[in-house]
Amino acid sequence: MIQIIIYVTFGFMVLGIIFSAWRIMKGPTAADRILALDTLTTISVSGMVLLAYVFNRFIYLDVALIYGVLGFIGVLVIARYLEGAL
Amino acid sequence: MVGSPILFVAVPLLAAFLIPLFGFIWKELVRIVPGIVLLYLLILSVSLYIQVLQDGTIVEQIGGWAPPWGINLVFSPFTGLLTTLMLFLAFIIWLYSYRFKNVDFEPSKKYFILLLMLVTGSIGIVLTGDIFNQFVFIEIMSISGYALTAFYTGRDSAEASFKYLIMGSLSSMFLLLAIILIYSQLGTLNMADIASKAHLMKPEFRVLALVFFIVGMGIEAEIFPLNGWAPDAYSQAPGPIGAAFSGIVVKAGIYSIIRVTFTLFDVEGTMQFLVLMGMITLVVAEMAAIKQDKIKRMLAYSSIGQMGLVLVAFGIGTEEGVFAALFLMVNHALVKPLLFLSASYLVFNSTEKSIRELNGLGKYLPLTSFLFALGAIAIVGMPPLSGFWAKWSMLTAAANSNMILIIGLVLLVSVVEIVYYFRVVNRIYFFKKEEDVEPKKPTINAMVSMIVLGILIVTIGFYPDLITSYLHEASESLLDKGKYIQDVLSAGQSIIQ
Amino acid sequence: MKKILVLLLLAVFGIYLADVLFSLEFGKQFFTDGVKDFYLTKGPLDLKVSNTITAIIVNFRGFDTLGEVTVLFLATTAMGGILYKKRHKVGARSVLFPSSQIVMAGSKILFPAIILLGIYVFVHGHLTPGGGFQGGTIIATGFLLMLLAYQDYTVSHKVLTIVESLAGITFVVIGLMGLIKGSTFLENFMPVGTLNNLFSGGLIPIIYIVVGFKVGAELTGLIYTALHEKD
Amino acid sequence: MDQISFDISIVEYGFFASAILVILVGLYGALVKKSLIKIVIGLSILESGVNLLLITIGYIQGGTAPVFSPQLLKDMPLTLENIKALGNEMVDPVPQALVLTAIVIGFGVTAVALSLVIRLYRHHHTLVIDEIKNLKW
Amino acid sequence: MNSIVLIFGVFLGGAILTYLAHKLSNILSSAFFVLTIFTATVLFYLKVETGDVFSFSLNGLHLEWGITSFSWIFSLIVLGLGTMAAVYSISFMKGKERLGYYYFNFILGIFSMMGILLSRDLVSFFIFWEIMTWSSYMIVVYEGRSVQKIGIKYILFSAMGAYAMLMAIVIIYSQMQSVMIEDLIYSFSSFSISYQIWLPILLLTGFGVKAAMMPLHVWAPGAYSHAPMAYTSVFSGALSKMGVYGMVLVFSTLISQLPEHTIIREVVAWLGGITAVMGTLWAITQDDAKKLLAYSSVAQLGYIITGVAIGTELAMLSAIFLSVLHALFKGTLFMVVGAIEKQTGTTNLTEVTGLIRKMPWTFIAALMSIIALAGIPPLGGFVGKWMLYESLIGSDHYILVILIFFASTAGFLYCYKFLFGFFLGQEEKEWDHVKEAPASMVVPMLILSFFSFLLGTFPGLILKPIDQGMQSLGYVPTEGHFWGMSVLFNEWGNAVVLQPILYAIMAVFLFFLVFLTLKGLKGTRYVTTKDISSSGEVPGEFENLSYKQNFFQPFLRAVEPVMKRQIDKYYTGIGNGIEAFFNYVRRVYSGNGQTYAIYVIIFLVILLLFKNNLFG
Amino acid sequence: MKEVLEIIGALFVLLGGIFLFLGGLGIVRMPDAYNRIQAGTKATTLGGMSLILGVGLMETSWLIKAVVIIIFIAFSNPISSHALARANYKRKNFPYLKNTKGVDAYKDAYLNENKEEQS
Amino acid sequence: METKTLYKKLTSVFLNWLFLFIVWNAFTSSFQAQEVITGLIISFLLALFTSRFFDCCSLRVLHPVSLFYSIVYVFVFLIALIRSNFDMAKRVLSPSLPINPGIVKFKSKLQSDFAKMMLANSITLTPGTLSVDLIEDTLYVHWIDVKTDDPEKVHAEIAQQFENILLKIFAE
Ligand code: NA
Ligand code: NA
């Protein structure tokens, strides 16, 4: 039962990833791409947490957290760049 | 125990990290400390080398883990010779660089750190017994090289450095690929271990790994189609760095390719391949050299050519061949730096650095010019200077292996070499000075460093036996693969038992 | 034309590479007596380090790490050297284009947390999939956040230099103490403790902390240099 | 929630193939793109591809991260057998360690490359590599 | 200390001292210079005897120095001419730049030639050979920018020659693991047949360059004529003889061991003959005395090479004899030109004229040498050439005789041109101020010309040691020892009784000498070129009617087809081709970093595609 | 108790998955960057929070760290969205105005700021 | 140093320390003595180092009232978030995309930067709104379905509920 739920969840997430990827490629503005990337980051962080559960490895949560931090600051950098301030 | 091979890496690293702090105390320390470090290491190297010749190879296990598990440094008659040579040159180059150009404090601090690391990287490449560790040292050397190439703030130095960087990146990629292939097959990274297990690899993996190694290290060793970066980098880097490139860095590149072909794999045809590539490199480089109008660029091409010659000598594959290759390396390591160092002062104040500007400098900078001429005569292999004996060894080795065609070609190319070197010497001595560029007198330390090289060239020329026994020891050490494996792995075997 | 040539060349390269690699069975190990088994047993048993990767990076192949640290150090030095200009003014970034107040306020509270995260990562390098490099990177990211949020935020060049130098020196000195106290460079001379405790693994956490500081300082320096490049 | 097995056999060669593909894409970028920045990006991609391949080589079917965390050890005594048994379930740690080094080195090189690009732009006011060849022949 | 080492020490120490002394004062430097060469010469003849051997080991090679009775003969040339030229140099070089440099390289030149002669092994030989090459190069390019091309040509040919030689030496070493010349002679017959053919050819190429053998001679005219004359006398007189020395060795010790040696002999002999003819023809066309003498040297060396190549006892004897003589008279003649250049500032035969009364001693030296060169009895040239003819006829080389004879006869033309151009003819106001050269220049010339007279008259003086030297090369003692006496009072050879002819020729010569002397003493009147009335034609204002101008026009027109084939042009063509090719090749370094990266991938792909061929 | 928490957690996970999917859908379907940001941020934030909370409930010993991640997401996502929106505006991508009243209160502030910069 | 600034400084160090210590323990999630003590030390050192940035709040936030309202805020926020998501889902899934976007502005009564930021973040995550910029105390909000552009009404519509609670938490 739980296994099925997790499979289904992964399915949803894969769809979300596909949508984000499509937006990354489609654009049209840089902000759209970065937004999609940001979405992708959040999905990935969630995915990592879920995988940590699947593999039963607590330590993977750290990876997810750090990934989130790096993704967040990455978006800020690009946003600042898009503003023309860098 | 006079010391440990690890100090060759640890001490310069310590110094490199300390130098910025020293800069806060007294700025002059930034220049002085590297010299002290290099001198210390040179003394250490010589004493270790003497010890090694008596007691046999030293294998240093880092972290207390025996090979193949830990990284190890191998100080053998072969690597010890190269280390000593490199440190000697490094010290000479430091001596020369001390106040070479009065740049600001910040750049000069960086210059000395990078120079120290360039040398450390090269020595690490030679000493390490671990293939991935060698990759790390190659990177240390390369990054220092990139930065030093772009050291002068002019327009073209960045261009040269960028080319070097592109090629260097490709080089590291191929090295990594080779390491991946080897690891996937053998599960080990230790060179001796790889050598002893190489037969367990699937043949296609072995050959592909060899190809990747050749391409990757060929870039560092300046084999022909891979050496496009070299003339640019040599000519744009500061003079002493050009000297370091030709005297130290490229030697490390050659070493790594030799270690792979002689020790790691026993692939049929490698030796002939080395001869072929060396020959092509030699011929193309000399063809390019003859038409150069920038002095350092000419020296760079000449350097590439010499490395081709070294590869040919290694490719002969016999003890004599290796001996000759080492002799050529030693000769080149003494002569080419001399040429770079003296040429740097000859074109010190000019912006073009063209050969034209050497006209008539014999009158203004007599000693520098003389040393340049001496170097020119030595590098083309004219007796009675060191170059002759190197060439002689190489040719006799080839003759003993019945490579008559090679002899002919090498000699033919040497004629080309003679022509372009003598053209330059001609200009220095027999042309009237044209430009108003005021030649700069070398500083005393620079003069001393050049004179030391000059004296060595002459001494070896008149008395080659000064070094030949060491070269023989070294070449035997390189060729005895079984002993290398035994030396490195014996400690680990005892642990298992 | 060039494109086609390159594509052809790459096709050949790719085919050869794939040909060889596909002969490996994915997920299977080809060799029988590689070094990894040694690491996977010695790491937890002798060194009491639960993260074997850390054991390899800091101890078994600690020498590589020293080299790696050096590479980063060189990269900062190189970058400084390459971008050096005679009249280089530090802090010359314009304050005319401030960041948003929201980001500013947010980064004030995120900055200490991110630094703490970095420290957590490198202090626990031997227990979790972290370490000095990761932690150092996170710390540098924290500084990046501040540099993004505050146009006039400056990092003292001198402090960075001192931190990275001291960290590097400590690393080498620890190694040399191994040479003096034990018998070889970087040899562990501290008690190893119990597996999965914070205080375990002998020198490993100490080295990783040092690495964390060094990497943090170096990357911060790199970022700082890059951001201040614009003239 | 103990056993959730993921069957990766369908993508047996997918990891190798994608690593090779990333390598080739990176090489293509580095060899064909005209902009210095894009060349540097190409080199970075290339590097990622190699790193990916390195990681892939170390993968062992069903293996987890080589970290002997408390959750994993549970109440097992620390014996050689237990550790070995656990270790056999883990992916090869060596490539992971190597890849970390490779990444850091690659990062350093990229930083240097970008600073060189800045320098080149400062002098040439262009990023087109074909226009930056004062040194030749 | 071993005497040989001592002498070498004197040379080297002297060279360095001379160079350093130059920094203090020119006079001191000159003193050291002459003293060094004198000391070495004296020491050599006092201390060094055949059989003295100094052997040592270097770089794993057994090396030996020592003199043989054969090389002793050449030492006469080197040290004799060297000493004279050294003395001559002092005044000649006065006031010129870089004296220290000149002296230094001069001494090294003499030193290296002695080294060559003293080497009993091939490596020492080669080392000294190379020192000789670059030290002489240094002097060839002494004049500076204008001689860059000439210098490069010289070093290029020398290097190719030297490397051919080195290749041979290396192969020899690989064959017998020794570099001793005597070992080579001993084991040469055991070499494979292809080596037996190729090794001599390689060696001959090396020696042929220095001996200016066609087609390797192209460097010689330029180099001879552009070095300072004081050195050219050594250069052409002694240095080129090192080539001859080597050739003699090769022919007498190696080629003679070949079962099929005639082809090589024929080819080289013919090359020598052609060299003689062409050299002569080219010499005739020259208006510059230096060039003229340079080409003449090429021609003379041609005779010598022919003799060496034929290699019969008589031929060899004549060749070596001619070598000694050539050193004497050509050395003198270059000195003469040098003296004239020094006094007048030019060496153009069409400009300088009527110096006979202004430089009488120089004239006498020139005259004696010219006569010796032209082969007029009783001076040496005649004896040598006659022996050569006889040996050629004796070995059935009739066509070669004709060639050599033609060259010899045609040689009169340039001899005359030289003599007349400088010394005879109208005196012109322009040269009023010209004085005799300083004594330190005149005396060496006179000494040398005296010796060429002496040896021509009493060839036995030198033929006897030559004969002994040849014995050390394996020749049997010359039949009957009839060279023991002077040519004047002996019957010449077995077949021909020469005295009547000899006396007749001598009578003509004496008459000529007396006539000229009387004429010279009487003095000539000053005229200008416009004074000449020529067959009713009124010469135009700008027409130079001096008959030295286009003197041999008709003759030249006759030989024009031969002259057109300028070997130089072929070399230039080849050189340009090579250069263009090099230029093309180096374009692979396109300057585009990306292209270099593509090379890497191309290289990789080539390796991948051919990995099975390359790596088993 | 444990089973109940697992079930609840699983439901949270599923809910999170759905919202993550919706976030993806939102950024595909929405007509301009601002609206995409709105859709993306809200859905993924909630989705991520829910999913991670779910995992924390399923494995209670992980809850604290899960909460840390949740708080981080809740805190950082709106900031990054805001930064992106602002950057997009500064790149002169004004809000979607077709078929609307064209309310844009920010324009004046933006123009003022630009003026300051130029002076 | 003035007492007031010293007090302020100490406050921020203390709060920072507390904050970091909590975060540390959340990171480690193990309450072993080693970890806790290490955490105390590290967070203190780090608090000293970073305190000059940590000026979000005064000691007042530790007052029970503030803490109570903080919890209230969390619930209000979560409810708003869930509402907003369903609202968004409705919009996204409906074929006609019923939207009417625009940027509106209003003035916030909040004083501290941190409080304003919290408000802005909350607005971003609540139905149909997205904070575009905050200049002084004016907040510019992208509204997916603009109902009014009068700042007062806007304020009442989208900010009121959060602002009230935030005012209580930060006691402004
Ligand atoms: Na977001
Ligand atoms: Na995010």
Side-chain angles (χ1 to χ4, degrees), chain A residues 38 42, chain F residues 77 80:
Chain A
D38 187 33
T42 311
Chain F
N77 264 0
S80 57

Side-chain angles (χ1 to χ4, degrees), chain B residues 159 163 166-167 170 174 204 207-208 210-212 214-215 219 223-229 231-232 267-270 273 276-277 284-288 290-292 297 301 304 320 323 327 356 359 363 366 373 377 380-384 388-389 391-393 395-396 399-400 402 404-405 407-408 411-412 414-416 418-419 422-423 425-427 429-432 434 461-465 468, chain E residues 12 19 23 57-61 63 97-98 101 104 111 122-123 126-131 133-134 137-139 141-149 151-152 155-157 159-175 177 179 195 578-579 581-583 585-586 588-601 603-605 607-608 611-616:
Chain B
E159 180 190 335
K163 288 176 197 170
I166 292 181
M167 301 297 271
L170 290 181
F174 284 113
E204 69 265 27
V207 171
L208 197 63
L210 179 70
V211 167
F212 286 157
I214 286 175
V215 175
I219 291 173
I223 290 179
F224 164 55
L226 316 176
N227 57 17
W229 61 273
D232 298 2
V267 176
E268 204 183 318
T270 330
F273 180 73
L276 177 70
M277 286 332 294
V284 175
E286 301 293 13
M287 282 178 178
I290 198 166
K291 287 290 275 184
Q292 296 307 317
R297 209 170 163 78
Y301 279 114
I304 294 171
E320 281 177 304
F323 168 81
F327 206 150
R356 203 163 29 80
N359 287 3
K363 210 166 157 188
I377 294 175
V380 298
M382 278 210 176
F388 169 70
W389 293 110
K391 202 163 258 181
W392 166 262
S393 312
L395 295 175
T396 49
N400 283 336
N402 269 319
I404 305 299
L405 188 68
I407 299 177
L411 288 175
L412 212 57
S414 299
V415 173
V416 175
I418 285 185
V419 169
F422 274 67
R423 265 187 195 164
V425 174
N426 243 1
R427 284 179 174 273
Y429 280 109
F430 307 107
F431 279 38
K432 287 268 175 304
E434 286 174 343
F462 277 96
Y463 190 60
D465 298 29
T468 48
Chain E
L12 282 181
Y19 185 78
K23 306 266 165 201
S57 166
L58 202 60
N59 196 21
L61 298 167
L63 307 180
E97 290 183 312
R98 289 196 297 267
Y101 169 90
F104 180 81
F111 158 70
L122 293 165
V123 169
F126 182 77
I127 291 176
F128 286 119
W129 189 271
E130 287 287 81
I131 298 177
T133 298
W134 61 252
Y137 166 82
M138 292 295 192
I139 296 188
V141 293
Y142 177 83
E143 264 181 36
R145 180 163 213 156
S146 54
V147 294
Q148 153 113 10
K149 281 234 165 70
I152 292 297
I155 200 74
L156 184 64
F157 276 87
M160 286 198 285
Y163 283 151
M165 198 193 296
L166 181 60
M167 187 168 176
I169 295 173
V170 162
I171 293 172
I172 289 165
Y173 177 66
S174 78
Q175 291 295 306
Q177 298 303 319
V179 287
Y195 280 160
I578 290 174
E579 207 164 328
F581 175 66
F582 285 8
N583 231 344
V585 168
R586 79 189 176 113
V588 295
Y589 294 101
S590 67
N592 189 332
Q594 211 167 29
T595 313
Y596 298 162
I598 294 177
Y599 291 162
V600 174
I601 305 300
F603 181 67
L604 170 79
V605 166
L607 288 196
L608 288 176
K611 64 179 182 185
N612 294 333
N613 310 50
L614 287 168
F615 307 112

Side-chain angles (χ1 to χ4, degrees), chain A residues 35 38-39 42, chain F residues 37 40-42 44-45 76-78 80-81:
Chain A
L35 157 73
D38 187 33
T39 310
T42 311
Chain F
I37 292 171
T41 308
K42 290 175 179 80
T44 55
T45 307
S76 71
N77 264 0
S80 57
S81 305

